[in-house]
Amino acid sequence: MLIAFNKPMNVLSQFTSEGGWPALDGFGLPKGVYAAGRLDRDSEGLLLLTDDGGLQARISSPKFKKPKVYYALVEGVPDQTALDALQNGVRLKDGQTAPCKAEAVDVPEWIWDRDPPVRVRKSITDTWVRLSLSEGKNRQVRRMCASVGFPVVRLVRWSVGPHDLTDLAPGKWREVVGV
């Protein structure tokens, strides 16, 4: 079984609450499934869950290079130099990131209002950046964007491999066909 879940902001990618944060157990997910990969508490979007260990490994292991698409709302307006740096890979404390696709985009048509809302500051323009990468270092998108001078204020994972959030509201899930 493979489940696509739209994880809301401030929900843990585990079935046990911790530190006062809600967990996956509050969303009526089928028994016996577990997350294939993770999505940080302060990130939103697609989280795949499965009851199949082999499938979990094919989804989450970096050796299978499943592309993941993220939409990051960043502070400022990244110029072509910053986007080129992201695309070529940047040096982080734990090593060089692999090349990825990165482009500034309009506000995604499908994006929902976040709860809690993103803090708006009149003196700083925010820009959406679409990134497609196939590795998964800890907090990688946030660290990559910060390393080129554009901190992330909102991060939404849109897709993993062929699976995406089409018609899936925050906190909702559906069963999907495998990877």
Side-chain angles (χ1 to χ4, degrees):
M1 172 185 332
L2 182 62
I3 301 291
F5 174 63
N6 189 345
K7 188 190 90 57
M9 168 84 170
N10 289 330
V11 171
L12 301 176
S13 294
Q14 59 191 39
F15 282 90
T16 330
S17 296
E18 189 175 294
W21 300 109
L24 300 175
D25 60 346
F27 293 92
L29 291 157
K31 299 279 185 217
V33 297
Y34 48 95
R38 9 180 4 252
L39 200 52
D40 294 322
R41 176 193 53 79
D42 55 350
S43 298
E44 311 163 69
L46 184 64
L47 181 65
L48 296 176
L49 301 107
T50 183
D51 59 356
D52 178 330
L55 179 57
Q56 187 272 345
R58 289 190 303 278
I59 294 169
S60 59
S61 173
K63 78 177 186 178
F64 292 100
K65 300 193 184 302
K66 291 282 179 218
K68 297 171 190 78
V69 175
Y70 296 85
Y71 285 81
L73 183 61
V74 300
E75 289 184 352
V77 181
D79 57 15
Q80 194 57 52
T81 302
L83 294 171
D84 289 346
L86 292 171
Q87 290 181 54
N88 293 326
V90 295
R91 176 143 313 274
L92 302 175
K93 287 181 182 176
D94 56 347
Q96 181 77 19
T97 64
C100 71
K101 295 179 185 172
E103 62 182 333
V105 295
D106 292 333
V107 176
E109 293 178 9
W110 49 266
I111 198 72
W112 53 87
D113 289 337
R114 192 180 83 177
D115 183 23
V118 173
R119 185 178 74 177
V120 176
R121 294 186 296 180
K122 292 180 182 177
S123 62
I124 299 177
T125 302
D126 293 331
T127 305
W128 283 98
V129 176
R130 182 181 187 273
L131 297 105
S132 177
L133 46 133
S134 57
E135 59 184 353
K137 296 176 187 280
N138 185 39
R139 299 180 70 81
Q140 181 173 346
V141 171
R142 290 179 188 279
R143 294 188 302 137
M144 287 175 67
C145 290
S147 78
V148 296
F150 297 93
V152 173
V153 295
R154 184 176 184 189
L155 183 60
V156 180
R157 181 162 56 199
W158 167 253
S159 66
V160 175
H163 306 292
D164 64 35
L165 290 175
T166 299
D167 299 325
L168 194 58
K172 301 298 180 187
W173 60 271
R174 66 173 168 251
E175 190 167 351
V176 295
V177 178
V179 176

